[in-house]
Amino acid sequence: NAGVTQTPKFRILKIGQSMTLQCAQDMNHNYMYWYRQDPGMGLKLIYYSVGAGITDKGEVPNGYNVSRSTTEYFPLRLELAAPSQTSVYFCASFDHSRGGGENTGELFFGEGSRLTVL
Amino acid sequence: AQSVSQHNHHVILSEAASLELGCNYSYGGTVNLFWYVQYPGQHLQLLLKYFSGDPLVKGIKGFEAEFIKSKFSFNLRKPSVQWSDTAEYFCAVIPGLTGRRALTFGSGTRLQVQP
């Protein structure tokens, strides 16, 4: 199994450009998440999904959009990139079925995507 | 909404020293608690977790954590650190019974172990 795969690993954007961060998992997990990590700030939840066709906002959703058309893929879209979106982005997945109906929190993380907006 | 506070942002220790990293959370109900570790250049990995039962939980690599409900704390400990423990450590919380099905992370503690 490849686990959680994120692309690209690094990207530089100009202000106002748009891009999509890709995330794929091959573990058939139903829950998927996008976090951003900023120095000294921990991880902030951007969006999450509890299954195909279902998405919900996290703590910091402004400036982002997501879609979940299949179980495997959970892309994160940045529209009109701003310097405040310079960060490291992590995608994660979780198998809700193993938690017995409860999110036990053992997330599997991708390796991260470092985005710089200039 | 729940929140997580980690008191130490940067800790420097010598090898064989004992470690204790503080974590406090704010949430009035039942919680599940976690410590994650992020080694340099790597993604986050689960270190240990607490759901219920014995408040002293043991994780991988000799780490343990104690849940003290009255203090809303879940401090991470290790009796003797090694150079390979150099990493960033994150405490996290999720409501145990209801609420959003995602973790809230603390701001992290960067541990540097000097040989």
Side-chain angles (χ1 to χ4, degrees), chain B residues 4-60:
Chain B
V4 179
S5 298
Q6 293 184 238
H7 317 298
N8 313 101
H9 295 295
H10 192 193
V11 174
I12 302 174
L13 294 174
S14 298
E15 276 192 312
S18 63
L19 170 72
E20 180 160 3
L21 301 182
C23 173
N24 286 89
Y25 65 94
S26 64
Y27 186 75
T30 302
V31 292
N32 299 143
L33 296 154
F34 309 85
W35 276 96
Y36 277 83
V37 60
Q38 185 177 31
Y39 297 104
Q42 297 186 25
H43 54 78
L44 278 78
Q45 304 170 40
L46 182 67
L47 202 53
L48 48 78
K49 57 188 177 185
Y50 171 80
F51 296 146
S52 63
D54 189 345
L56 184 62
V57 291
K58 296 190 184 298
I60 60 173

Side-chain angles (χ1 to χ4, degrees), chain B residues 13-114:
Chain B
L13 294 174
S14 298
E15 276 192 312
S18 63
L19 170 72
E20 180 160 3
L21 301 182
C23 173
N24 286 89
Y25 65 94
S26 64
Y27 186 75
T30 302
V31 292
N32 299 143
L33 296 154
F34 309 85
W35 276 96
Y36 277 83
V37 60
Q38 185 177 31
Y39 297 104
Q42 297 186 25
H43 54 78
L44 278 78
Q45 304 170 40
L46 182 67
L47 202 53
L48 48 78
K49 57 188 177 185
Y50 171 80
F51 296 146
S52 63
D54 189 345
L56 184 62
V57 291
K58 296 190 184 298
I60 60 173
K61 303 186 180 184
F63 286 92
E64 64 179 31
E66 184 175 13
F67 170 53
I68 303 180
K69 187 175 181 180
S70 61
K71 295 185 177 180
F72 296 88
S73 70
F74 190 55
N75 292 353
L76 181 70
R77 299 196 293 249
K78 186 171 184 178
S80 176
V81 295
Q82 300 173 319
W83 178 79
S84 58
D85 293 325
T86 294
E88 191 154 16
Y89 294 81
F90 294 92
C91 184
V93 63
I94 185 171
L97 298 176
T98 61
R100 282 172 31 205
R101 288 162 284 187
L103 290 175
T104 299
F105 285 89
S107 57
T109 298
R110 185 173 299 277
L111 172 65
Q112 183 178 348
V113 180
Q114 297 176 331

